[in-house]
Amino acid sequence: MNLQQLLRLPRYLGASGPPRRRWWSPSLDTISSVGSWRGQSSRSPAYWNQVVSEAEKIVGYPTSFMSLRCLLSDELSNIAMQVRKLVGTQHPLLTTASQRSLAEITELIHTALLVHRGIVNLNELQSSDGPLKDMQFGNKIAILSGDFLLANACNGLALLQNTKVVELLASALMDLVQGVYHENSTSAKENYITDDIGISTWKEQTFLSHGALLAKSCQAAMELAKHDAEVQDMAFRYGKHMAISHKINSDLQPFIKDKTSDSMTFNLNSAPVVLHQEFLGRDLWIKQIREAEEKGILDYAKLRETIKAGKGVTSAIDLCRYHGNKALAALESFPPSEARSALENIVFAMTRFS
């Protein structure tokens, strides 16, 4: 399930709002097997695949259907040119094409960020990483590629011709930049001494770097569908809490996987570690880091076991479920539908750990 598909789901929620003609809907199979697989662990590939499969039936195409190559192809551009001829008419195709464009724009921004994050710090290069000039060239390509994707996203955003949507996505991009800056400033530094950011600050930074784009894109989807401010706020809340829950779930994986490589590293500013540090206290946390060092190299396997013995992991699981429940509460304002069920199942997939 990618951002494009997730953002198209709100179109089918059928929340209260101005009456609209329902021009097209993909064929929908009844979700009859939900009860049998909801109780499975979120670590089960079959569980997650089932969730994604049911959501794909609603948005109308599988995850692999859309790609950057497709988004930037001449064929898609030709279709867009023909659709623009309908501007000024009341053809319901326009509502659908605005929703899909927004999802594609969000995906482009997200991908551009990932590409930019691939830039290598040349000051930390080792001889085994490759020739310096090749790494420099790779950085240039990453910067240019990311900028190219952002330029296409901005162009598509302008074509939506909706001032509020432009404002929302522009502010989300600003949040992303600010969040990444904070992440870099609080990342593990020399001697593995991490900043004492606290879980409250962690959540604020996580929203900026991981939640703002999804939350504001969900809100923008409701704006394009001409829903009122209350409905838009509920969509924003769903996106925000779902994104935070997803990030905590991701942070938990090194600590809850059945099989974890001893050499597997993890972020010392991830949710379970931040919570562990809060319970333990700064001084004892630094002592544990020092005890896990051998000849100046941090033994992540040893430190991971130390963290698992504390309260950080179980507290992170509780926090993941808390934000998942917040996301589900936001969905309750929408009438029951297959789209709402699909969005709920995405949350269930991220908050089941046993």
Side-chain angles (χ1 to χ4, degrees):
M1 171 63 60
N2 59 21
L3 288 173
Q4 293 177 33
Q5 294 174 304
L6 183 61
L7 288 173
R8 291 190 70 203
L9 283 173
R11 172 175 176 260
Y12 305 97
L13 281 174
S16 58
R20 305 189 305 279
R21 287 181 292 171
R22 188 179 180 88
W23 170 65
W24 172 82
S25 173
S27 59
L28 299 171
D29 295 332
T30 302
I31 305 179
S32 58
S33 59
V34 169
S36 63
W37 48 263
R38 262 187 191 172
Q40 297 180 32
S41 169
S42 64
R43 287 170 278 173
S44 168
Y47 177 56
W48 178 251
N49 290 339
Q50 180 71 40
V51 170
V52 172
S53 177
E54 297 299 345
E56 285 172 347
K57 294 175 184 177
I58 297 175
V59 298
Y61 58 85
T63 304
S64 59
F65 179 81
M66 295 301 290
S67 66
L68 291 177
R69 186 175 183 180
C70 178
L71 296 180
L72 305 175
S73 68
D74 292 337
E75 290 80 3
L76 197 65
S77 298
N78 290 334
I79 294 174
M81 289 298 293
Q82 299 303 318
V83 170
R84 286 172 202 155
K85 294 179 181 179
L86 296 174
V87 174
T89 72
Q90 297 299 314
H91 198 289
L93 173 61
L94 288 178
T95 301
T96 302
S98 293
Q99 291 278 345
R100 182 156 182 166
S101 294
L102 174 63
E104 292 166 357
I105 289 165
T106 302
E107 187 74 13
L108 282 173
I109 294 174
H110 177 67
T111 304
L113 176 68
L114 295 179
V115 172
H116 277 162
R117 280 184 167 180
I119 297 173
V120 176
N121 186 345
L122 299 177
N123 294 326
E124 297 179 355
L125 282 182
Q126 299 179 3
S127 57
S128 59
D129 294 325
L132 177 60
K133 66 176 184 178
D134 290 343
M135 303 301 286
Q136 289 174 329
F137 178 75
N139 278 357
K140 291 178 181 179
I141 294 298
I143 293 171
L144 291 173
S145 299
D147 289 348
F148 174 72
L149 296 177
L150 284 176
N152 276 275
C154 292
N155 181 61
L157 196 57
L159 293 176
L160 291 179
Q161 298 182 357
N162 186 305
T163 304
K164 184 173 181 179
V165 171
V166 172
E167 179 183 347
L168 284 170
L169 270 293
S171 65
L173 185 56
M174 181 178 67
D175 290 337
L176 276 172
V177 174
Q178 184 178 349
V180 172
Y181 173 80
H182 283 306
E183 276 189 356
N184 290 337
S185 65
T186 58
S187 61
K189 298 180 178 64
E190 187 178 0
N191 296 325
Y192 309 104
I193 300 300
T194 57
D195 289 340
D196 187 10
I197 61 174
I199 196 62
S200 177
T201 301
W202 180 92
K203 287 199 286 188
E204 292 174 2
Q205 295 179 5
T206 296
F207 171 73
L208 291 175
S209 58
H210 293 84
L213 180 60
L214 180 59
K216 293 183 178 180
S217 294
C218 287
Q219 180 180 352
M222 294 294 97
E223 164 64 22
L224 284 177
K226 303 187 184 304
H227 287 296
D228 59 27
E230 183 178 355
V231 174
Q232 291 182 33
D233 182 60
M234 290 298 104
F236 174 90
R237 292 186 186 185
Y238 173 81
K240 172 185 176 180
H241 291 291
M242 198 278 282
I244 294 177
S245 179
H246 180 272
K247 181 60 169 64
I248 298 173
N249 181 289
S250 177
D251 285 356
L252 277 164
Q253 293 309 306
F255 301 94
I256 63 176
K257 281 185 176 179
D258 295 330
K259 294 182 180 180
T260 303
S261 170
D262 289 341
S263 61
M264 182 179 182
T265 62
F266 51 87
N267 193 323
L268 295 183
N269 283 310
S270 61
V273 182
V274 170
L275 286 166
H276 175 77
Q277 178 180 330
E278 275 200 346
F279 283 113
L280 200 64
R282 180 68 173 172
D283 293 338
L284 286 177
W285 168 237
I286 294 176
K287 180 181 179 181
Q288 285 186 349
I289 291 180
R290 296 304 189 200
E291 291 175 347
E293 286 182 332
E294 292 183 8
K295 298 181 179 179
I297 299 177
L298 185 61
D299 185 341
Y300 279 92
K302 182 177 181 179
L303 185 60
R304 180 168 55 246
E305 294 305 314
T306 301
I307 294 171
K308 288 171 66 175
K311 299 180 180 179
V313 174
T314 55
S315 296
I317 291 175
D318 290 340
L319 189 62
C320 180
R321 289 170 173 163
Y322 168 81
H323 285 284
N325 288 334
K326 285 286 188 179
L328 293 174
L331 286 177
E332 289 179 358
S333 61
F334 298 94
S337 66
E338 286 157 322
R340 171 176 153 177
S341 294
L343 291 171
E344 289 172 341
N345 291 334
I346 291 172
V347 176
F348 293 141
M350 294 183 302
T351 55
R352 295 295 186 271
F353 296 95
S354 60

